[in-house]
Amino acid sequence: MNVSEHIDAVYAEVCRRNPGEAEFHQAAAEVLESLVPALDRHPEYVETGIVERLVEPERQLIFRVPWVDDRGAVRVNRGFRVEFSSTLGPYKGGLRFHPSVNLGIVKFLGFEQIFKNALTGMAIGGGKGGADFDPKGRSDGEVMRFCQSFMTELYRHLGEHTDVPAGDIGVGGREIGYLFGQYKRITNRYESGVLTGKPVGWGGSHARTEATGYGAVYFAQEMLATRGAGFDGRRVVVSGSGNVALYAVEKVHALGGRVVACSDSSGYLVDEDGIDLDLLKDVKEVQRARISAYVDAKPSARFSARGTVFDIPCDVALPCATQNELGREDAVALVKNGVRAVAEGANMPCTPEAVAVFREAGVLFGPGKAANAGGVATSALEMQQNAARDSWSFEQTESRLAEVMRDIHGQCRTTAEAYGGNPDDYVLGANAAGFLRVAEAMTAQGVI
């Protein structure tokens, strides 16, 4: 059996053993297809079943989360934690609270996290978790009771040397605070390093809130630099208007670019003057309103509930909302309108068909496991500060973040050229570079 046949067999087994988990199948296919050149050079990884072990999580947890709402009614949600790989360090990955959360989504995110975390060069493994709970519209008391119930089950699997969750969609500083408080209450230990994404006042890191958005922009900047270009004077479109999108907008503007459009689940807005970040933050973080409220405050902008934000002509696109938001038709529209670079701020926001369009058109494409690694990299920096009982300045932390993103970009190009002959193939570069680091460590640690 040659390497391609081996990969096909592994993927068929992934689909058989994980029925109905479409997102996990998609993530596995994207990684496995690009590993053929690396496995051709390293047949020992085929012989020792490295890939078969990597696609099977070390541990999968599913548990009931009962809680009481403000009317006194008992509610029940489902919680998840997939501890995928501890080869390079404690399991590391966020918690997502959203109605769409299911085992397949958590597994896709955890699988991606293995390679993303490996690319940072830091001692962190891969994992992910969450619940099908929606914090939107819930009172602080309801969110607190849910988080306490969630942690009452999950705490026994966590620890600063075992599994270190962070935030994700629906889990911000408020939720992290309630989760940490319950962990401390149950264990009678103040383990600052057991959760990251904490507020700066009690163990959090400066620049953590900004890190994923900033990191995606830094990665895009490095891609543009290979063409002798930068953000100065560029038109940019950012999908989403959550934490990642907001700080992507902020960094693009700081680098001289102009973000002309962003979105939420209700539609998208276009502001040819450049998105007013203060106004957008007020709409989304203070008013917690739909993005159309931006247009109410600034009539020169326009809102559309039809089409997508990717219909807007731009030089750089930063999809920062959620998985599979950018499909083939969106990619075709972006290419037709002259896009030069796409960097994924979200996890797997581009469908395989969209990625194929970008690669065929010669558009620089930064996959999420490389382009959005800034968030988990800064979480690892937060763990370092917690271990040393230290706190770094914003400037020091952002400098380290920029350094990590430059290094990831360099790894991707070097690996893509070495294994595929094309340094612009960031998909091959990211997957192969992350895989090779993990595979080497797995080999050293034996069959476990």
Side-chain angles (χ1 to χ4, degrees):
M1 183 184 294
N2 63 33
V3 170
S4 293
E5 291 171 339
H6 173 70
I7 288 297
D8 288 344
V10 171
Y11 180 67
E13 188 67 0
V14 166
C15 295
R16 186 190 71 80
R17 300 178 76 173
N18 304 276
E21 297 176 3
E23 293 84 2
F24 179 43
H25 298 169
Q26 180 183 335
E30 189 265 342
V31 172
L32 294 176
E33 288 170 6
S34 62
L35 293 184
V36 172
L39 292 171
D40 274 332
R41 299 262 195 99
H42 296 277
E44 67 274 19
Y45 295 151
V46 176
E47 294 164 8
T48 53
I50 294 294
V51 179
E52 290 92 328
R53 284 187 273 158
L54 264 180
V55 297
E56 185 66 25
E58 294 176 12
R59 187 175 296 108
Q60 302 178 60
L61 310 168
I62 305 177
F63 51 95
R64 181 177 65 196
V65 188
W67 56 284
V68 179
D69 69 18
D70 286 343
R71 296 181 294 111
V74 174
R75 302 295 187 106
V76 180
N77 286 95
R78 180 173 288 178
F80 304 89
R81 186 69 177 172
V82 174
E83 297 176 331
F84 230 113
S85 172
S86 59
T87 301
L88 299 178
Y91 308 107
K92 188 79 191 80
L95 298 171
R96 175 177 294 191
F97 291 170
H98 191 272
S100 66
V101 170
N102 57 44
L103 184 59
I105 285 177
V106 174
K107 282 163 74 172
F108 123 64
L109 293 167
F111 185 64
E112 290 276 293
Q113 204 79 41
I114 301 171
F115 307 99
K116 180 189 303 186
N117 294 0
L119 286 170
T120 69
M122 299 178 181
I124 44 178
K128 204 74 178 183
D132 58 357
F133 168 77
D134 191 354
K136 285 184 180 177
R138 293 293 176 186
S139 69
D140 287 350
E142 288 176 322
V143 172
M144 180 185 71
R145 290 190 291 276
F146 175 83
C147 289
Q148 288 175 341
S149 181
F150 183 87
M151 183 56 78
T152 298
E153 174 57 35
L154 188 61
Y155 87 94
R156 69 194 79 238
H157 302 286
L158 306 184
E160 58 188 355
H161 302 296
T162 305
D163 187 347
V164 182
D168 193 78
I169 294 172
V171 179
R174 174 183 63 172
E175 289 76 16
I176 292 292
Y178 294 147
L179 291 165
F180 182 81
Q182 186 71 352
Y183 180 87
K184 179 167 64 76
R185 180 188 197 184
I186 294 170
T187 64
N188 195 33
R189 294 194 301 271
Y190 198 106
E191 291 182 24
S192 294
V194 77
L195 285 166
T196 58
K198 303 180 294 295
V200 173
W202 49 277
S205 174
H206 287 289
R208 177 60 188 91
T209 303
E210 297 84 355
T212 307
Y214 277 20
V217 175
Y218 282 136
F219 194 90
Q221 182 183 37
E222 293 295 317
M223 291 198 300
L224 290 169
T226 68
R227 299 288 191 272
F231 273 101
D232 195 32
R234 302 290 175 193
R235 284 175 60 92
V236 181
V237 161
V238 176
S239 70
S241 50
N243 183 69
V244 179
L246 291 173
Y247 290 101
V249 172
E250 182 170 282
K251 183 53 66 176
V252 168
H253 287 174
L255 294 174
R258 179 163 53 100
V259 178
V260 296
C262 61
S263 62
D264 66 10
S265 58
S266 68
Y268 66 92
L269 73 88
V270 180
D271 188 342
E272 291 292 346
D273 297 331
I275 296 294
D276 183 330
L277 186 60
D278 290 336
L279 174 57
L280 183 61
K281 283 185 176 180
D282 180 70
V283 168
K284 302 307 292 187
E285 297 184 333
V286 179
Q287 300 179 41
R288 297 189 181 273
R290 309 311 292 166
I291 207 165
S292 56
Y294 180 104
V295 179
D296 295 338
K298 190 176 181 183
S300 61
R302 61 184 174 85
F303 170 79
S304 176
R306 295 183 177 182
T308 79
V309 71
F310 304 114
D311 295 331
I312 306 304
C314 63
D315 301 303
V316 180
L318 303 173
C320 295
T322 191
Q323 66 266 12
N324 291 328
E325 59 170 308
L326 195 162
R328 184 183 184 281
E329 290 184 5
D330 302 314
V332 168
L334 285 166
V335 170
K336 181 180 178 181
N337 287 327
V339 73
R340 302 182 63 178
V342 177
E344 294 187 319
N347 292 304
M348 205 170 73
C350 299
T351 66
E353 295 77 15
V355 175
V357 170
F358 293 138
R359 296 173 79 177
E360 184 177 346
V363 173
L364 295 166
F365 174 73
K369 62 175 62 66
N372 73 29
V376 74
T378 307
S379 281
L381 298 178
E382 182 176 332
M383 293 166 68
Q384 289 183 25
Q385 293 168 74
N386 293 157
R389 297 290 193 267
D390 197 3
S391 180
W392 304 344
S393 68
F394 188 99
E395 293 74 20
Q396 182 181 1
T397 309
E398 188 184 359
S399 175
R400 287 290 306 277
L401 168 64
E403 180 184 341
V404 168
M405 297 311 297
R406 283 193 298 271
D407 181 65
I408 291 173
H409 178 267
Q411 285 183 67
C412 291
R413 288 188 67 82
T414 300
T415 306
E417 185 166 28
Y419 287 88
N422 177 12
D424 291 341
D425 190 347
Y426 291 95
V427 173
L428 169 61
N431 288 332
F435 169 78
L436 290 169
R437 184 176 178 223
V438 176
E440 182 181 4
M442 288 178 70
T443 300
Q445 294 171 20
V447 180
I448 56 172

